[in-house]
């Protein structure tokens, strides 16, 4: 008998439907899998056979053919174990086949018949809804993740026997429900708070501007000045994610397999901090079967690169295209996949290899050649893509020993959120643009026209400091954000002056 079961597969961040056809016929007792299966899919016949026996089912004694359609796309991973098992049971006439077209299903089988969690559940659930399916059967550890899709019945499956009895109508199951609004309402405050950071008011001001406009920022300072401490508290002032942003981030983490069991959503903006030994494939994504890298895992959040010059030069250079385009395309012989990567880059570095160049308290022991070699690891084009450059100076004893706490994160987050809201209203009709840092040339020309005095100030700075055309646009974007923080419709002289200040540091250091 022939049966058809519906499942799904992920390509990039989107999913497509996979039809699993199972035919139980006559001939030598063997199981043949066709439809470009990889090694994990080919091995599923042994897992499924043992799981069926241990779940109390009979196995077919003739030839069983399993076809995974579409047959011209490679199928990967163990996610087809459950639908293959259900298809084999239906082909053997052990369960009803009439309910099968209403459902999609995915899951890996243990030899005992237990259903294990898999990757990519959220995009497959979204595809199931778009395909008109009534429901989807998923491992119980993935149920909350799929349940955020409204209008789709999600059934948490623990064992093969449970799935078979449900399809056969012998076991009623209640769909899993997730209250998305409750998830966001139960967010707790971060333990790390900017109230713990004493001094460094200029650096905290620059961080506030960067967060308010989604700008990339580079902090330069000697060891121990608090660069990492400041950066690691950025999540405490990031505006809350919208449901659309949370779904985008969750899809990527679902595909990468970084979601924790029973997690429904990535409700906080991601903060990724890879080690400087990371490869370009680890940063951008890749592999024989491409998976998202750190830049995509930081989508809608922050990518923090500590000790920036310690990263390999080729790793830093591959950042240029994602920073400019907001997505990364990975091409392989079989196919090309595109992952979104709209993130805020936060980087920190020392001014020289020993870290004390220009420090008033300690003497630098680096030669000029060593300093130039160290700084030249960061190319001019990459530096141009970083909107804000800020110096983090050493602090005096009086600042460190002061009892007065810094401004709390909740106050900074309130101002940044209000500025982001103004930007959302401004770019509501544009679609892709979410904050000032995303503006293209047309939006810069439309929304970033300074008053005449400010225009003259900018003209003078460009001619004297020899900024590039890209740096000119960055200055205008940052000044627009500074104006938004003040709820100012126009870009005034002091907005431009402060924005120029955040671009001049690199020219002093790299001259």
């Amino acid at each position: 008998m022939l049966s058809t079961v519906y499942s799904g597969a992920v390509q990039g961040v989107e999913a497509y439907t996979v039809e699993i056809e199972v035919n139980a016929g006559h001939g030598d007792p063997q199981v043949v899998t066709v439809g470009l299966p990889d090694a994990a899919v080919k091995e599923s016949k042994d897992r499924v056979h043992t799981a069926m026996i241990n779940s109390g089912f009979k196995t077919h004694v003739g030839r069983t053919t399993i076809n995974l359609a579409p047959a011209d796309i490679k199928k990967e991973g163990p996610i087809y174990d459950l639908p293959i098992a259900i298809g084999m049971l239906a082909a053997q006439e052990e369960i009803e086949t009439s309910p099968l077209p209403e459902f999609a299903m995915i899951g890996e089988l243990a030899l005992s018949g237990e259903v294990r969690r898999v990757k990519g559940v959220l995009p497959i659930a979204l595809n199931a809804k778009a395909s008109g399916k009534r429901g989807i059967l998923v491992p119980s550890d993935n149920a909350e993740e799929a349940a955020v899709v409204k209008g789709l019945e999600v059934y948490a499956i623990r064992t093969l026997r449970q799935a078979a009895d449900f399809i056969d109508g012998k076991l009623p199951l209640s769909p899993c429900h997730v209250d998305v609004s409750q998830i966001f309402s139960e967010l707790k405050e971060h333990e790390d708070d900017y109230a713990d950071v004493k001094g460094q008011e200029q650096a905290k001001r620059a961080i506030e501007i960067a967060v308010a406009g989604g700008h990339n920022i580079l902090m330069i300072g000697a060891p121990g000045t608090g660069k990492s401490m400041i950066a690691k508290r950025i999540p405490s002032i990031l505006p809350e994610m919208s449901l659309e942003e949370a779904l985008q981030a969750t899809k990527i983490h679902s595909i990468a397999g970084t979601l924790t069991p029973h997690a429904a959503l990535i409700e906080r903006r991601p903060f990724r901090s890879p080690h400087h030994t990371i490869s370009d494939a680890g940063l951008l994504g890749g592999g024989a079967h491409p998976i998202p890298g750190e830049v995509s895992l930081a989508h809608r959040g922050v990518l923090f690169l500590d000790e920036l010059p310690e990263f390999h030069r080729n790793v830093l250079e591959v950042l240029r295209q994602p920073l400019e385009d907001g997505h990364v395309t990975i091409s392989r012989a079989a196919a090309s996949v595109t992952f979104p990567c709209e993130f805020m880059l936060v980087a920190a570095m020392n001014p020289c290899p020993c870290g004390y160049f220009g420090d008033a308290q300690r003497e630098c022991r680096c030669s000029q050649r060593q300093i130039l070699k160290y700084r030249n690891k960061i190319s001019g084009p990459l530096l141009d893509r970083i909107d804000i450059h800020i110096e983090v100076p050493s602090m005096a004893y009086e600042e460190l020993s002061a009892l007065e706490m810094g401004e709390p994160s909740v106050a900074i987050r309130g101002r940044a959120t209000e500025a982001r809201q103004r930007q959302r209203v401004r770019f509501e009709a544009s679609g892709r643009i979410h904050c000032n840092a995303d503006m293209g040339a047309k939006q810069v020309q439309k929304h970033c026209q300074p008053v005449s005095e400010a225009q003259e100030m900018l003209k003078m700075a460009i001619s004297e400091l020899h900024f590039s055309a890209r740096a000119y646009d960055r200055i205008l974007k940052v000044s627009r954000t500074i104006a938004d923080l003040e709820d100012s419709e126009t870009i005034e002289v002091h907005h431009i002056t402060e924005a120029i200040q955040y671009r001049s540091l690199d020219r002093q250091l790299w001259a």
Side-chain angles (χ1 to χ4, degrees), residues 261-314:
H262 301 289
L265 279 174
I266 300 289
E267 66 274 12
R268 292 191 187 276
R269 294 187 182 274
F271 183 88
R272 306 292 297 184
S273 180
H275 193 261
H276 61 77
T277 56
I278 191 171
S279 66
D280 51 358
L283 193 64
L284 285 191
H289 310 300
I291 59 172
E294 290 292 333
V295 295
S296 296
L297 293 173
H299 182 62
R300 299 298 182 201
V302 174
L303 178 68
F304 176 46
L305 302 184
D306 201 5
E307 304 296 343
L308 186 65
E310 299 299 330
F311 286 79
H312 296 295
R313 176 70 181 258
N314 65 304

Side-chain angles (χ1 to χ4, degrees), residues 22-38:
V22 181
N23 185 74
H26 301 289
D28 295 334
Q30 62 174 318
V31 178
V32 179
T33 305
V34 296
L36 285 184
D38 72 350

Side-chain angles (χ1 to χ4, degrees), residues 59-215:
T59 57
H60 185 60
V61 294
R63 179 184 176 92
T64 301
T65 304
I66 302 167
N67 179 44
L68 308 176
D72 60 340
I73 302 177
K74 194 171 185 65
K75 317 302 185 304
E76 306 161 2
I79 66 172
Y80 305 110
D81 288 3
L82 177 62
I84 287 174
I86 294 296
M88 292 176 72
L89 292 173
Q92 295 168 195
E93 300 183 345
E94 292 199 40
I95 61 173
E96 282 289 330
T97 59
S98 56
L100 292 178
E102 301 180 14
F103 297 96
M105 56 188 76
I106 54 174
E108 177 185 348
L109 288 178
L111 298 184
S112 63
E114 179 187 358
V115 181
R116 292 173 172 164
R117 65 191 298 259
V118 293
K119 302 177 183 179
V121 170
L122 178 56
I124 292 174
L126 289 167
N127 177 71
K129 180 189 175 184
S131 302
K133 300 300 179 189
R134 188 187 107 199
I136 184 170
L137 278 62
V138 300
S140 58
D141 285 348
N142 296 113
E144 290 84 357
E145 175 187 346
V148 300
V149 181
K150 299 301 179 185
L152 183 71
E153 297 176 5
V154 176
Y155 296 95
I157 303 300
R158 296 186 180 277
T159 65
L160 173 59
R161 169 61 72 174
Q162 184 186 32
D165 288 347
F166 170 72
I167 293 294
D168 207 26
K170 298 176 182 178
L171 177 67
L173 292 177
S174 299
C176 178
H177 295 285
V178 170
D179 188 345
V180 175
S181 59
Q182 184 178 0
I183 293 175
F184 286 102
S185 65
E186 292 178 350
L187 286 178
K188 297 180 180 178
E189 288 295 327
H190 291 266
E191 293 184 4
D192 295 329
D193 196 285
Y194 273 111
D196 305 328
V197 181
K198 297 179 181 180
Q200 302 295 10
E201 298 304 325
Q202 187 179 15
K204 288 190 285 186
R205 166 66 176 172
I207 289 290
E208 179 181 339
I209 295 169
V211 168
H215 302 289

